[in-house]
């Protein structure tokens, strides 16, 4: 039997500590091929590079581990690797470990999760991992340990093929993490999102900034609250954005088909 | 009573014909402020500009119509405008009209829809419009006419505040469009997504390409099929990506909380 083939990617770039931590987490499970962005690509969502070509460079090759750097976005990394790196379908795709949480509405901006979404489109079981610490020097020790427990579950009892998992770790040492919670995406939004400045020539410019506003601080089953309570949050995501309840309601009240 | 305030944006840039068509569609409904990308931003999904500052320039101001160009992504345009252009909340946000359909899985890459999603986060009723014709010279005549019928419905019988609409027009003249269908997102995926070339110096590079593979060609209630059948497709979208059915199933089989 072939060894398991593991596809690793991220949005912080191939040199990020979070990628090294994910490689460490996954080494016991099989052979690893990492295809990650050349530079950090935070907040790139599912963006694709359509106006310029993309380059791919092999950074490292050793038994059981290859690392490639790609000049494109996280979604580009997955598509390019599936078309021009892998000769057989990987058994698992893991993305991250992101420096910073991807809970609540942040999921729509996340390159980490966009890469996991791409994996699902290629029918690979895919998981995005994030740690609630933005620092480049973040400590991923607990993530490696707790992440393996999730991988073990996923291998024993696979999740649905149209689903990928969004896993967020609280920023806590191993012995302070209270356990795991399967939960849903928290409601909330970002506010005060651009700071205005004036350049030395007198022209205005704006820096992205923002504060997350939690719209349901009491909900125990929502991911942002789950990590704040000291648990690892696991949300099953899918790619069908249809609001079925509203679809049925609008059919009733708009009556286009009469 | 104040006149209605309409926020217009897109991902093809402020000079696109599709933006002019959307302005034409919306002029009877109120005062228009358009804040659109300086350059085309196709395939940018919900990407945010975090590593560089963003600039904003007023292009036009006349009674009932202002147009601004923003150096950022479609999502940046909405956030920046809401923080630094509008002094009161717009009554409606419309995005597009995109040159090219945004049906099926294309919704996850679409800047047009990412802008509509942002509008929803600011609690503005938001609609993304797209025409199934990629050409810069596309004819939007039918879109203006049929689009107004959708705006009329939305004003008479508002859709849910956590929902935005994804509207796709078939590439047909007015008299060949068969009507409207409220429907769901089609299943499918893109394949053969990068073409490999070699530069004059002997190095490989890759161009994004791809072919859409429809995974349910017979489904009459799915958006890609709906436009192919000659109808205007309207899908209500929401921003909660949680797969609730799989959440319940995994709670049963993974039993983390015992």
């Amino acid at each position: 039997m072939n060894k398991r083939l593991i596809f690793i990617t991220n949005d912080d770039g191939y040199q990020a500590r979070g990628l090294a931590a994910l490689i460490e987490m996954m080494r016991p499970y099989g052979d690893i091929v990492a295809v990650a962005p050349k530079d950090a690509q935070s907040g790139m969502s599912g963006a694709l590079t359509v106006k310029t070509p993309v380059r791919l460079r092999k950074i490292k090759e050793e038994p059981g581990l290859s690392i490639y750097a790609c000049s494109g976005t996280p979604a580009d990394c997955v598509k390019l690797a599936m078309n021009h790196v892998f000769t057989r379908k990987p058994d698992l795709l893991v993305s991250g470990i992101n420096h910073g949480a991807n809970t609540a509405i942040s999921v729509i901006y996340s390159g980490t999760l966009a890469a996991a979404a791409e994996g699902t489109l290629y029918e690979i079981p895919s998981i995005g991992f994030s740690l609630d610490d933005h620092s480049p020097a973040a400590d991923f020790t607990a993530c490696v340990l707790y992440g393996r427990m999730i991988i073990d579950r996923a291998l024993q009892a696979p999740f649905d093929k149209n689903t990928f998992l969004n896993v967020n770790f609280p920023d806590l040492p191993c012995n302070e993490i209270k356990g795991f919670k399967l939960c849903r995406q928290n409601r909330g939004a970002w506010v005060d999102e651009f700071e205005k400045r004036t350049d030395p020539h007198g022209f205005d410019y704006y820096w992205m900034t923002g504060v997350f506003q939690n719209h349901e601080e009491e909900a125990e089953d929502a991911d942002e609250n789950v990590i704040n309570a000291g648990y690892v949050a696991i949300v099953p995501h899918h790619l069908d954005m249809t609001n079925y309840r509203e679809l049925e309601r609008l059919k009733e009240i708009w009556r286009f088909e009469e």
Side-chain angles (χ1 to χ4, degrees), chain A:
Chain A
M1 195 190 119
N2 280 336
K3 279 186 84 175
R4 243 185 242 115
L5 180 60
I6 318 276
F7 182 177
I8 290 185
T9 188
N10 77 353
D11 74 351
D12 291 314
Y14 77 94
Q15 298 187 85
R17 285 173 68 98
L19 192 85
L22 194 50
I23 290 170
E24 183 192 344
M25 185 202 292
M26 298 308 296
R27 286 212 85 156
Y29 295 98
D31 289 336
I32 289 170
V33 178
V35 182
K38 185 166 69 72
D39 304 306
Q41 295 273 344
S42 291
M44 283 307 275
S45 186
L48 302 176
T49 302
V50 291
K51 288 190 286 191
T52 56
V54 170
R55 303 269 182 171
L56 186 69
R57 187 161 58 96
K58 187 180 280 187
I59 301 291
K60 187 179 213 172
E61 172 132 45
E62 59 178 54
L65 174 65
S66 315
I67 301 178
Y68 295 80
C70 164
S71 64
T73 65
D76 290 336
C77 287
V78 178
K79 289 178 184 293
L80 185 57
M82 290 306 294
N83 283 278
H84 294 283
V85 175
F86 289 103
T87 52
R88 70 176 175 97
K89 193 165 89 169
D91 299 293
L92 207 56
L93 180 151
V94 287
S95 175
I97 301 171
N98 194 60
H99 294 242
N102 279 309
T103 53
I105 196 61
S106 299
V107 300
I108 71 170
Y109 311 115
S110 164
T112 306
L113 287 188
E118 288 298 322
T120 306
L121 290 169
Y122 282 98
E123 301 184 345
I124 307 165
S126 300
I127 308 178
F129 291 101
S130 307
L131 170 64
D132 189 18
D133 180 356
H134 280 94
S135 157
D139 179 0
F140 292 96
T141 313
C143 306
V144 170
L145 184 73
Y146 282 84
R148 284 183 186 150
M149 297 184 206
I150 295 170
I151 300 293
D152 290 341
R153 293 288 166 119
L155 293 173
Q156 279 161 21
F159 48 90
D160 174 71
K161 75 179 179 66
N162 294 311
T163 299
F164 56 99
L165 301 185
N166 179 22
V167 175
N168 280 276
F169 299 103
D171 183 24
L172 292 172
C174 295
N175 58 349
E176 290 179 30
I177 291 180
K178 292 186 185 152
F180 299 90
K181 274 201 179 169
L182 279 154
C183 55
R184 65 179 171 83
Q185 181 183 323
N186 221 307
R187 282 174 187 260
W190 290 84
V191 293
D192 300 331
E193 295 178 295
F194 272 101
E195 188 182 311
K196 184 174 175 173
R197 297 194 180 178
T198 305
D199 72 21
H201 314 290
F203 296 103
D204 295 333
Y205 63 102
Y206 303 86
W207 279 108
M208 172 76 53
T209 164
V211 179
F212 177 68
Q213 212 168 47
N214 191 330
H215 291 171
E216 43 173 16
E217 288 192 345
E218 305 304 314
E220 288 180 8
D221 63 337
D223 58 1
E224 173 73 13
N225 299 329
V226 163
I227 61 168
N228 289 338
Y231 292 86
V232 179
I234 308 172
V235 180
H237 277 222
H238 61 175
L239 292 170
D240 184 352
M241 295 172 70
T242 311
N243 182 344
Y244 286 94
R245 192 159 58 182
E246 184 63 3
L247 173 57
E248 292 313 313
R249 196 184 74 93
L250 288 179
K251 278 183 184 171
E252 275 304 307
I253 65 169
W254 283 17
R255 297 208 168 275
F256 274 128
E257 281 152 67
E258 273 177 76

